[in-house]
Amino acid sequence: MTAPQREALVLAYKNGYYAEPRETNLAELAAEVGISRQAFARRLNRGYRTLIESHLRLTGGHERVS
């Protein structure tokens, strides 16, 4: 995971993006790091993917047996 992806995930978590109901939105989070809402959403999605793949040990859509 890149540093910007980690920063985005942590920022979203700390600011209540994952709370029910949400306490912030993508536009507000993006403004904090000085990028567009769309760019922040892409950064979050790449971070999710990396986190999930590393946690579940997935590569190329197939689970790796270890």
Side-chain angles (χ1 to χ4, degrees):
M1 176 177 308
T2 67
Q5 290 168 358
R6 185 178 194 293
E7 176 190 31
L9 288 166
V10 170
L11 184 66
Y13 182 78
K14 286 185 175 181
N15 284 282
Y17 183 73
Y18 303 107
E20 293 280 335
R22 283 194 172 145
E23 298 169 4
T24 191
N25 60 51
L26 289 174
E28 291 172 353
L29 295 168
E32 281 199 47
V33 294
I35 61 177
S36 71
R37 183 192 60 76
Q38 295 87 347
F40 192 86
R42 285 192 302 272
R43 190 174 288 179
L44 270 183
N45 284 333
R46 287 191 307 269
Y48 297 148
R49 181 180 176 97
T50 302
L51 186 62
I52 291 167
E53 286 176 349
S54 68
H55 183 73
L56 299 178
R57 300 174 195 246
L58 297 176
T59 56
H62 297 59
E63 190 165 353
R64 197 176 355 156
V65 178
S66 47

